Amino acid sequence: MSDSTATTTARLRVGSVAIPSVATIAIPLLLLAPALWNGYPLLQYDTGGYLARWYEGYLVPSRSTVFGLYLHFGEPWQFWTNLAMQAVATLWVLWTTLRVFGVTTHFRRLAIGLTLIATTALPWLASMLLTDIFAGLSVLTLVLLVAFSERTSWLEKLLLFAFTAFAAATHTGTFGVLLGLCLAALLFKPFLGARLSWAGIARGFAAVAVSAAMLLAANFALSGKLAWTPGGAGVTFGRMLQDGIVARYLNDHCDQVKLKLCPYRNELPATADDFLWGNSMFNTLGRFEGMDDEMRFIAVNALKAYPLWQAKAALIATLQQLTQVATGEGTNGWLPHTYGIIERYLPDQARAMRNARQQHWDINFAAVNTVHVPVALGSMLLLLTILGHATWRRRLDDVTLLAGTVALALLGNAFICGVVSGPHDRYGARMVWLSTFVVLIVVARWFAARERFRPQGLFARKASTPSL
């Protein structure tokens, strides 16, 4: 072997070791770059409600006790252990998915990871004390668990199952999306044949069932009540209020039914957020404890009274939610409830929290979204193009199955969040990065296919030329 050949071989060996080593260290650090720059984990409107579950011992609407316990275990280290677990979990899910879908070169994996970090909400989700990072990742783990488990080891199957179950228990919206995907798998099984096994579908349903048991157990342990996380009726009522349906129902029925809101029917706030979380009559009437039964009554009966209006409002809300994908909603310097919870229950962290850049309004999400929003919307269009091309070619391969699952997840997320809670950018941003990920997988596989069929240099071209 010549010196030059030996040198080249040595460089290739060093590169084959260096790239995965760099990726293993660099990707998690870059995923946590927003929090590291901030000086403290990023906070959001809802963070305080989750943190308080351990201390307050009662159930609060839309605040999972499972996620509250997860945060509690990271309190001694100012939650940096939580962020570290989120970053490592993100790296593991991304790398496992890329391996399963044939993106095996370390350079391409690193390139995909860096592209996601630079152009999507992924690092902001990983750097935040919120359930949102688990929403998108759990779609990928469910896909691997249900449709591609034969390409994973028994340990990976166990981890995929555990992660999916935990993620579903952290937020009712995530639970609904994953349950919907399992039902879709059951529905499409006759058409997909061997691509979906009954055992895989059973694993998906089992993971969702375990998540439900996990949530019920956590609720019972912390509150003494064997109950689901409350708040569904109130949140749905808020969306109907925002659409004008509640005001119409009160005007049409207050002469027949005595309701607490009747005297306020001409003073209702314009948005659900103003009603539920602002200084509205909702506070005067006892908030969820005093209004839950009435909000449920109005929501159910308004659905019966105005079915066409409700259907139109649901369609509009779903379409609006699909387009609301900006990063950073609710992550700013005005979070009085979250600040209050930290100062009350974690006073030793109050100074670090108050000194963080977020609390000084130093995060410019407008600049961030000049990149994130076009990439998100463009990726969804490309996702539809991938599915359209596969349909036209009548070809169902692995990537098409993944693309179809992600499309269903985005649609299901938009329907659940848009119809129940009303459209919010936060709900879109936590899932839409999946479409960018699928597009990057397609691009990587295209380059790999070109390389397989490309002649390797001058000698390959000469060898392929027939002699005369």
Side-chain angles (χ1 to χ4, degrees):
M1 181 183 293
S2 66
D3 292 342
S4 61
T5 303
T7 302
T8 302
T9 302
R11 287 175 178 173
L12 289 173
R13 287 175 180 171
V14 171
S16 65
V17 174
I19 292 178
S21 299
V22 169
T24 302
I25 298 172
I27 295 298
L29 287 176
L30 290 172
L31 283 169
L32 298 185
L36 294 171
W37 170 82
N38 187 51
Y40 190 80
L42 295 177
L43 305 174
Q44 205 263 357
Y45 289 147
D46 297 347
T47 303
Y50 292 109
L51 287 174
R53 300 289 44 81
W54 172 264
Y55 297 97
E56 294 179 346
Y58 57 86
L59 303 181
V60 170
S62 302
R63 302 293 178 263
S64 164
T65 52
V66 171
F67 189 71
L69 288 171
Y70 161 78
L71 291 182
H72 176 69
F73 294 137
E75 289 176 7
W77 302 277
Q78 293 192 354
F79 306 105
W80 289 107
T81 49
N82 298 92
L83 297 194
M85 286 189 288
Q86 290 170 192
V88 171
T90 301
L91 177 70
W92 172 68
V93 173
L94 294 181
W95 262 222
T96 304
T97 305
L98 290 174
R99 191 200 77 224
V100 165
F101 284 91
V103 182
T104 56
T105 66
H106 299 306
F107 175 78
R108 289 199 179 99
R109 291 186 188 181
L110 180 59
I112 288 174
L114 292 176
T115 302
L116 288 173
I117 289 169
T119 63
T120 74
L122 197 57
W124 298 94
L125 300 176
S127 294
M128 193 177 302
L129 299 182
L130 200 63
T131 66
D132 292 4
I133 184 62
F134 299 109
L137 293 177
S138 62
V139 172
L140 297 177
T141 59
L142 183 67
V143 171
L144 298 181
L145 187 67
V146 171
F148 300 98
S149 63
E150 74 280 359
R151 302 181 191 178
T152 59
S153 66
W154 68 267
L155 179 58
E156 287 175 324
K157 289 183 182 65
L158 182 62
L159 291 173
L160 290 169
F161 186 96
F163 185 91
T164 304
F166 169 76
T170 63
H171 196 277
T172 303
T174 303
F175 181 92
V177 169
L178 297 182
L179 177 59
L181 290 177
C182 290
L183 292 171
L186 197 63
L187 180 65
F188 286 109
K189 175 66 174 78
F191 306 100
L192 296 176
R195 286 202 168 272
L196 280 181
S197 68
W198 290 113
I201 295 173
R203 280 192 294 271
F205 276 109
V208 174
V210 168
S211 76
M214 190 185 306
L215 183 61
L216 291 172
N219 286 350
F220 182 77
L222 290 184
S223 71
K225 295 181 179 179
L226 190 63
W228 196 258
T229 303
V235 176
T236 304
F237 171 91
R239 195 270 305 165
M240 292 184 185
L241 179 146
Q242 190 165 289
D243 290 334
I245 296 173
V246 169
R248 171 69 180 275
Y249 182 84
L250 293 175
N251 285 328
D252 290 349
H253 295 85
C254 276
D255 291 340
Q256 308 154 20
V257 183
K258 291 184 178 180
L259 298 170
K260 298 176 184 178
L261 280 174
C262 284
Y264 303 95
R265 56 186 169 181
N266 297 320
E267 306 170 22
L268 295 174
T271 70
D273 288 340
D274 289 338
F275 179 78
L276 294 173
W277 316 115
N279 187 23
S280 72
M281 65 285 299
F282 185 59
N283 298 332
T284 305
L285 297 174
R287 296 191 60 76
F288 288 99
E289 185 176 351
M291 288 293 295
D292 198 54
D293 290 340
E294 179 163 315
M295 289 190 297
R296 182 178 292 105
F297 175 86
I298 293 175
V300 170
N301 285 279
L303 185 62
K304 298 176 183 177
Y306 317 111
L308 294 180
W309 189 357
Q310 295 275 16
K312 180 182 177 181
L315 177 61
I316 292 173
T318 301
L319 294 175
Q320 288 177 340
Q321 183 60 76
L322 283 171
T323 62
Q324 292 191 208
V325 293
T327 300
E329 183 187 27
T331 305
N332 52 44
W334 191 80
L335 307 174
H337 180 258
T338 294
Y339 298 158
I341 293 297
I342 291 175
E343 290 172 342
R344 182 186 311 165
Y345 298 120
L346 304 169
D348 58 321
Q349 297 191 31
R351 182 176 180 180
M353 180 268 293
R354 287 291 186 183
N355 288 335
R357 293 178 184 270
Q358 178 186 351
Q359 279 57 264
H360 293 89
W361 297 82
D362 288 344
I363 304 177
N364 185 359
F365 280 113
V368 169
N369 284 313
T370 59
V371 175
H372 287 192
V373 172
V375 168
L377 297 177
S379 296
M380 285 195 288
L381 290 176
L382 289 173
L383 186 70
L384 292 178
T385 302
I386 292 167
L387 291 172
H389 181 262
T391 303
W392 178 64
R393 295 285 298 272
R394 295 185 180 180
R395 183 180 66 189
L396 178 61
D397 58 13
D398 295 344
V399 175
T400 305
L401 184 58
L402 176 64
T405 303
V406 168
L408 282 176
L410 291 175
L411 185 61
N413 179 70
F415 177 78
I416 292 172
C417 296
V419 173
V420 175
S421 299
H424 288 77
D425 281 298
R426 173 196 155 195
Y427 301 142
R430 73 185 183 188
M431 293 283 281
V432 74
W433 66 266
L434 288 172
S435 60
T436 308
F437 186 46
V438 173
V439 171
L440 291 172
I441 290 176
V442 171
V443 171
R445 285 166 61 105
W446 181 79
F447 275 111
R450 285 194 66 189
E451 288 181 357
R452 282 198 299 270
F453 293 105
R454 181 189 300 164
Q456 300 298 313
L458 177 62
F459 294 103
R461 290 196 296 272
K462 286 184 177 180
S464 64
T465 304
S467 59
L468 298 177

